[in-house]
Amino acid sequence: MEIPLAQEIIFGLVIGSYIALGAIGFTLVYGLVNMINFAHGEFITVGAFVGYLAVVFGGLSIPMAVAVALAITAVVGWVIARVTFEPMNEAGAVPLLLMSIGLGLVLRNGFRVIAGADRRTIPRDVTTYRFDDWGFFVTSQQLFIIGVTLVAVVVLHVFLSRTMLGIAMRATSDNEDLALVSGIDTRRIRNAVWIAASGLAGVAGVMLAVSQSANPNVGFGQLLLIITAAILGGAGSPYGAIVGSYLLGIGITVSVAFLPSGLTELNATMAFVVLIVVLLVRPGGLVNAEVRTS
Amino acid sequence: MSAPTTRLENLPIDAVHAGFALLVLSVLFLLSPLFVQPPGGSFVFFEVGVLFFLYAMILVGLNLQFGHTGLVNFGPVAFFAVGGYTAAILTANDPYQAVGLGFPWPVGVVAAVLAAAALGILIGVSTLRLRDDFLAIVTLAVAEIVHGLIVAFRDVTGGTVGLTSVPRPIAGTTDAGGGAALVSTILIFAALALFFYGVFRRLSGSPYGRVLRAIRADDQVTETLGKRVFRYKVAVFVYGAAIAGLAGALLVFYNGAAAEGFFTIDVTVIVWVGMLIGGAGNDRGVIGGLAIIMGFQLITRFFNDAIPFITQDQFASIRLMFVGLLLMFIIRYRPEGLWGDADRLGVES
């Protein structure tokens, strides 16, 4: 069946939305802590389970569950980062990367031991709005996901551009040494980054639990897409990550129309091809970032 | 403790000679009518042993790349898989839903090495200028792409079913049953692993190896000394790719089949963790590290039945949690590994 382009774009916006929620946090951590966090997907999974528990056992509404997951995941992520990554902050990119791989293995398999491989979906009422003249429909759930992401993006923008902490964050991301001599407490900044990144991951988790399911692999499954989006947008740039996420989301769905049938499952693979091509052709992403050595 | 070790060092043979001699002996043994039938309960040890020697081959290449040269290759399994599938596709006879060209097995072995090396050149030339952590991501993505292509192109690779009817040349030398075939296989694989260990050890011990370590320490300084750093990096990347490709071919000839389940990210994790436990850059140490992690995998197999209330899935997860914890502890408290050199690796312990 032929799916109209407008419909593919709607699907792409939804996918882009939860990639964006993950990618913003990932790229903040990259820019300010200078590490590629392979355990970021597991922070998302924490959010998915917290959201699921809040709705199914806590009896909360989904928007309330988003708030709860945001808060709990922010704290959990911050505590984990303090215990694991902060003590080796000076160790360099590769040891931190390996540390996060170990952490990811521990958390992901920990979820599996506790929760099993079952797929638990948050029950919800879905209304479908049809726009037949334009050739697409959109569900209340999709609008909710896109809406939550837009709110998060606006809050992030206000935070980065209007608050002292946000401005200090951007300064530290640009040049940590300069920020340090300007009297910015970079330790405090890193704490704030972990809280913000984990909180956003928590929101992403609830979105995934609503649209897919809460299972031990749900966050990890998004990780390479998140990394791709962050690099596409220029590693370290939160605005770039947002643009990169939506480009990637729409790219994934629209490319289905151009892939031969039977190979449509390759579109995740295509995303990694995009990742490599971006790193080779324009390694700084859409804005400039430093990834080459020579 | 040093005396026997020193005496061992001073022997006029090294691992290359020993490996080659063992290889000749084991081939002679295979061609003879002799065979060894291991006791039934020991099969699991032999099976893990076969994998150990194949992973050891991947590891000597990876250790040259990361331990000596500092290249963060997170996709060794990609080359392992390309080698395995190349060999399987060229040699299989009428596999179910896949391409099998039915060539003799030596063609498969040579093609596997060439295909993996070719991918190594392609990836190496295009990506080795990237920063460490981005190289890690790219190589990981390459491994995911290879895996994705294997699953998607099921008309060629058999998809999730895989390729069957691949010849088993080593097992074919004896008709004394699976146990005898397993012993033959492990002899040949051990000999090959020892041989290539020796070859890579000679490489890293030679002036060539000094250049690699200089690149690891500071590639810009090395460049100003007139060494063409990029070429060295690509060459090292291709050596590692080729030997992983060979290991992949050996795996499919041992199993008589290729399946995507043999070539998952778990291979990368095990080999990397083994290298880090042993101490990246110490040729002998990394093999010891691999032995530790695979020994752990083997021994814990027997615990599974002993613990009540834990399902098989949960047990597998708990085991992986331990692997992850081990990795975290090593990185945090002993980044040079058990036998590595902290100064040379540039880490603080």
Side-chain angles (χ1 to χ4, degrees), chain A:
Chain A
M1 194 190 74
E2 193 72 10
I3 302 172
L5 190 63
Q7 187 65 61
E8 298 287 13
I9 290 174
I10 298 286
F11 289 154
L13 286 174
V14 175
I15 294 176
S17 292
Y18 43 66
I19 297 176
L21 289 169
I24 296 166
F26 176 87
T27 213
L28 283 175
V29 169
Y30 177 79
L32 287 125
V33 188
N34 251 318
M35 70 172 286
I36 288 176
N37 181 14
F38 265 84
H40 195 70
E42 276 59 49
F43 293 0
I44 294 176
T45 309
V46 171
F49 278 114
V50 171
Y52 174 80
L53 293 175
V55 173
V56 175
F57 293 100
L60 298 179
S61 65
I62 292 177
M64 278 303 292
V66 172
V68 169
L70 187 147
I72 293 183
T73 315
V75 173
V76 170
W78 174 68
V79 169
I80 289 175
R82 286 227 59 84
V83 175
T84 56
F85 302 127
E86 279 297 306
M88 46 185 297
N89 184 41
E90 302 294 320
V94 175
L96 281 168
L97 178 69
L98 290 167
M99 190 73 175
S100 73
I101 290 178
L103 175 64
L105 271 175
V106 172
L107 292 176
R108 192 159 62 251
N109 287 286
F111 300 140
R112 232 174 264 165
V113 172
I114 299 166
D118 295 351
R119 307 176 72 82
R120 301 174 173 79
T121 305
I122 293 182
R124 70 274 171 182
D125 302 317
V126 178
T127 325
T128 304
Y129 307 98
R130 301 202 157 272
F131 298 85
D132 287 334
D133 296 345
W134 304 34
F136 69 92
F137 65 86
V138 59
T139 65
S140 51
Q141 181 187 315
Q142 290 169 335
L143 286 176
F144 177 68
I145 290 169
I146 296 170
V148 167
T149 309
L150 289 182
V151 170
V153 165
V154 169
V155 170
L156 178 85
H157 173 71
V158 170
F159 171 71
L160 287 177
S161 60
R162 298 274 189 280
T163 66
M164 275 317 287
L165 184 59
I167 292 165
M169 247 187 209
R170 277 162 54 211
T172 312
S173 179
D174 275 352
N175 187 332
E176 186 169 348
D177 294 334
L178 193 60
L180 206 56
V181 296
S182 322
I184 293 175
D185 181 355
T186 49
R187 217 177 115 90
R188 192 168 140 253
I189 299 287
R190 282 202 304 275
N191 280 334
V193 166
W194 281 116
I195 290 171
S198 312
L200 284 167
V203 178
V206 183
M207 296 301 113
L208 282 165
V210 167
S211 63
Q212 299 177 10
S213 78
N215 70 73
N217 274 328
V218 67
F220 187 63
Q222 303 290 318
L223 184 67
L224 275 172
L225 292 178
I226 286 170
I227 296 177
T228 304
I231 289 175
L232 189 61
S237 154
Y239 298 111
I242 296 162
V243 177
S245 300
Y246 283 107
L247 280 179
L248 188 64
I250 293 171
I252 286 173
T253 52
V254 172
S255 71
V256 172
F258 300 99
L259 282 172
S261 63
L263 293 185
T264 48
E265 70 228 63
L266 269 182
N267 55 32
T269 307
M270 295 296 286
F272 309 144
V273 176
V274 170
L275 167 68
I276 293 176
V277 170
V278 171
L279 275 175
L280 297 180
V281 177
R282 199 177 159 77
L286 302 173
V287 299
N288 210 26
E290 213 173 286
V291 297
R292 274 182 201 260
T293 50
S294 53

Side-chain angles (χ1 to χ4, degrees), chain B residues 128-152:
Chain B
L128 285 176
R129 289 187 200 280
L130 293 172
R131 228 178 71 173
D132 289 350
D133 40 356
F134 287 88
L135 180 59
I137 289 180
V138 168
T139 45
L140 188 83
V142 167
E144 288 300 310
I145 291 170
V146 167
H147 196 261
L149 293 177
I150 286 171
V151 174

Side-chain angles (χ1 to χ4, degrees), chain B residues 123-325:
Chain B
I123 310 291
V125 167
S126 51
T127 62
L128 285 176
R129 289 187 200 280
L130 293 172
R131 228 178 71 173
D132 289 350
D133 40 356
F134 287 88
L135 180 59
I137 289 180
V138 168
T139 45
L140 188 83
V142 167
E144 288 300 310
I145 291 170
V146 167
H147 196 261
L149 293 177
I150 286 171
V151 174
F153 284 91
R154 61 180 72 79
D155 294 340
V156 180
T157 62
T160 48
V161 179
L163 270 142
T164 49
S165 321
V166 176
R168 305 179 64 187
I170 299 179
T173 57
T174 174
D175 43 17
L182 205 49
V183 172
S184 316
T185 306
I186 211 164
L187 277 177
I188 290 276
F189 285 9
L192 281 170
L194 187 62
F195 175 74
F196 283 108
Y197 164 79
V199 170
F200 277 72
R201 192 170 159 76
R202 276 191 186 179
L203 201 58
S204 65
S206 67
Y208 190 89
R210 276 205 297 280
V211 178
L212 301 185
R213 284 184 289 281
I215 292 173
R216 177 175 185 130
D218 191 325
D219 54 2
Q220 284 173 7
V221 170
T222 317
E223 185 84 46
T224 54
L225 292 175
K227 302 293 178 192
R228 304 180 75 167
V229 168
F230 186 65
R231 277 198 190 183
Y232 276 89
K233 285 185 178 178
V234 173
V236 164
F237 207 72
V238 173
Y239 297 151
I243 192 169
L246 175 64
L250 294 177
L251 179 68
V252 300
F253 289 132
Y254 158 63
N255 278 316
E260 48 99 21
F262 305 161
F263 305 105
T264 62
I265 193 167
D266 292 3
V267 177
T268 301
V269 171
I270 292 290
V271 175
W272 260 93
V273 171
M275 176 167 71
L276 294 169
I277 293 174
N282 181 331
D283 298 321
R284 246 184 256 168
V286 295
I287 302 292
L290 183 67
I292 291 173
I293 189 69
M294 292 196 70
F296 170 77
Q297 302 276 62
L298 177 66
I299 290 167
T300 49
R301 273 195 196 192
F302 299 109
F303 290 168
N304 193 2
D305 305 326
I307 308 170
F309 309 120
I310 299 232
T311 66
Q312 205 119 30
D313 282 348
Q314 282 176 321
F315 188 78
S317 298
I318 291 173
R319 206 156 73 165
L320 278 168
M321 284 177 79
F322 271 106
V323 172
L325 274 176

